[in-house]
Amino acid sequence: MRSDVVVMVGLQGCGKTTWVAAHLARTHAVVSKDHWPNARGREARQRRVLHELLGEGRNVVVDNTNPSPKERAPIIEIARRHGATVRAVFLDVPLDVCLERNAARTGRARVPEVGVLDARKRLVPPVVEEGFDRVDVIRQGGGAG
Ligand SMILES: Nc1ncnc2c1ncn2[C@@H]1O[C@H](COP(=O)(O)OP(=O)(O)OP(=O)(O)O)[C@@H](O)[C@H]1O
Ligand SMILES: [Mg+2]
């Protein structure tokens, strides 16, 4: 069976990790640069792990902000190389809600606000033309999505 790759897209604090835990934990291996907070070269490492998991026939979800085509293109390329389906899940959550949710987090989970603002500036909503089989947009109006 073809593997499935899911590329999460959304600002810090929008709820990606929460959504992944609720919807994909049973079916997909989770890859995230957050797993290696201090490692240099974690971009390359993430690509290598994605490649390895697909080689084992696993489904994979890439749980990072992935705000622009620049971050998403290499993931799509690796997925295609393995003959996997690849879709984007875009959590379209307003900036102020992301900032609130981020501010409510504690410890390492809370990121500097400037990082969220920077990601907002770079955010380009995913489209199928980038090479996705499908793009799912989830808009949260306070519900669990
Ligand atoms: N649908 C939701 N409604 C209300 N709160 C939520 C919802 N989803 C997530 N949260 C809360 O918002 C905060 C951020 O969620 P989460 O850690 O999943 O975001 P994230 O997108 O993974 O952020 P990061 O990019 O920094 O990893 C958490 O405290 C979480 O409990
Ligand atoms: Mg997260």
Side-chain angles (χ1 to χ4, degrees), residues 11-18 34 63 65 101 105 109 111 140 142-144:
L11 304 179
Q12 298 92 330
C14 75
K16 297 179 298 298
T17 300
T18 304
D34 297 346
D63 179 14
T65 53
R101 288 180 185 173
R105 296 194 288 193
V111 302
Q140 289 170 346

Side-chain angles (χ1 to χ4, degrees), residues 64-109:
N64 294 128
T65 53
N66 298 315
S68 77
K70 177 172 167 279
E71 289 85 16
R72 301 186 295 252
I75 302 170
I76 295 168
E77 194 268 324
I78 293 166
R80 291 296 175 207
R81 224 194 300 154
H82 285 269
T85 54
V86 56
R87 68 188 154 113
V89 172
F90 174 35
L91 297 196
D92 189 10
V93 177
L95 175 65
D96 58 336
V97 175
C98 296
L99 290 173
E100 267 171 38
R101 288 180 185 173
N102 180 55
R105 296 194 288 193
T106 54
R108 247 185 175 167

